[in-house]
Amino acid sequence: MRKRIVAFRRLNEEQLAQLRQHHDVDYFEHHEDADSPAFHAALSRAHGLITAGLKVTPKLIDSAPHLETIASISVGYDNYPLATLTERNILLCNTPDVLTETTADTGFLLIMATARRAVELANWVKDGHWKSSIGPDLFGSDVHGKTLGMVGFGRIGAAIARRGALGFGMQIRYTMASPKPELEKELGALRLNLQELLATSDFVCVSVPLNADTEKLIDSAALKRMKPNGILINISRGKVIDEKALIEALNTGQIGAAGLDVFEQEPLPVESPLPHMPNVVALPHIGSATHETRASMAQRAVDNMLLALAGNHPISPVNSEVLTRRSSI
C-alpha cells in the first residue's frame, strides 16, 4: 500500500527516488518551508515524516492525524516530544553510528584548536601582526600526554577518547556513564565521579545527551572545580552548559579556554560575546557536517522510514515500545 511521506530537507535525488518508488512524497527543501501552508497541508495527509532541523511540537503532531513514523536525520532527539509520540503510537527513529567518527573528528579538532590557539593566531596573522617570532604571550598548550576527561562515554565520547589515548598518549578519565571495562582495558580509562574528573582533567569534553538530568550540568560550581588553565569542549547540546556562567569563567580566567560546536540558542545571537572572545573557538554546529556523513545519515533515515512503513523493524528506533505495542495488536 502506497502511503504519503513528507520529507523536510537534506535528501538527494537518489534518496527521493527510492522513497517515491514505494510511496507518494512531498519534498520541502528550504528551512522557511516549515511555515508554509503547503507544508502543513502535506503534513495533515502524511503517514511518515523525514526531517532535519524541524522543531516537532505536540501542536504539530496534532496537525498530522495519520502520522505513523518520524525518521530524524540526527542522533539527538531533544527536538521531539518523545512522550507525546509514544503515547500516540508514533514511532521515532534516529541515525546513530553513521556520524560517530565524523563528530569525534570535530571534537578533537576543538581540542587541538583551543590548546594551540589556532583560530586566534590565524586571525592574528591575517590582521598583519606577524612582524617577528611570537613570544610566550602567544604560546599555546600541549595536547599530548595531558588528561582528557570525558563527560559522557558513549559512541562519540569513546571515539574522541580513542583519538586522544592512541594518537596523543593522553590519560583518559570518564564520568556520567556506566562502567566500560573494555574501554578501560583498551585506553587505560579510569571512571571517576564528575567532581573528581573536573578537578583532574586538562581537557573536559562534554558528550552527553540533553535531558532533565544534564541541562546546565556544567554550571558555575562545576566550572569552579576545573583547573585554572583547563579547557572545556562541548559537542553535545548547548543547554548542557550554563552559558552565562561559562562567559564569566572565561572572562575572569577561571578556566583557560572553550571549544564550542553547540550553544543554548542556535544560530548564535549576534550579541553573544562568545565568538569574539580570544580564548573561545566557536563553530556553527558542524559536528557531522561533511558531505559523506550527511548523505549517510539521510540514507539511514530513508531506510528507517521504508522499513517502518512496510511494517518491518527499522534499523534504529528510539521508542521501540511502539513497535512492541503494534505487534501485540
Side-chain angles (χ1 to χ4, degrees), residues 243 247 260-276 280-285:
E243 239 169 60
I247 291 167
L260 310 170
D261 188 41
V262 289
F263 302 88
E264 285 185 355
Q265 183 179 335
E266 296 179 6
L268 191 62
V270 293
E271 64 271 17
S272 172
L274 285 168
H276 307 289
V280 172
V281 175
L283 299 177
H285 202 152

Side-chain angles (χ1 to χ4, degrees), residues 244-256:
K244 183 178 178 182
L246 174 61
I247 291 167
E248 181 179 356
L250 290 163
N251 273 327
T252 61
Q254 187 174 303
I255 67 172

Side-chain angles (χ1 to χ4, degrees), residues 168-196:
F168 290 80
M170 300 182 83
Q171 307 300 309
I172 306 301
R173 307 290 180 262
Y174 72 99
T175 191
M176 301 293 291
S178 58
K180 310 283 186 180
E182 291 184 3
L183 287 172
E184 290 176 8
K185 183 178 180 180
E186 177 191 0
L187 306 178
L190 178 64
R191 186 169 180 252
L192 302 174
N193 64 42
L194 179 61
Q195 290 74 25
E196 292 171 326

Side-chain angles (χ1 to χ4, degrees), residues 175 192-201 217 221-222 225-226:
T175 191
L192 302 174
N193 64 42
L194 179 61
Q195 290 74 25
E196 292 171 326
L197 180 139
L198 292 169
T200 58
S201 297
L217 175 71
R225 292 189 180 99
M226 287 181 61

Side-chain angles (χ1 to χ4, degrees), residues 2 5-29 50 298-299 302 306:
R2 292 183 72 85
I5 297 170
V6 169
F8 181 69
R9 304 177 71 203
R10 294 188 190 164
L11 297 185
N12 61 36
E13 289 302 320
E14 290 182 5
Q15 291 160 350
L16 286 170
Q18 191 178 357
L19 291 171
R20 286 171 175 149
Q21 183 180 354
H22 303 277
H23 302 288
D24 299 318
V25 179
D26 294 300
Y27 182 48
F28 297 89
E29 186 174 2
I50 296 181
Q299 187 60 52
V302 167
L306 290 175

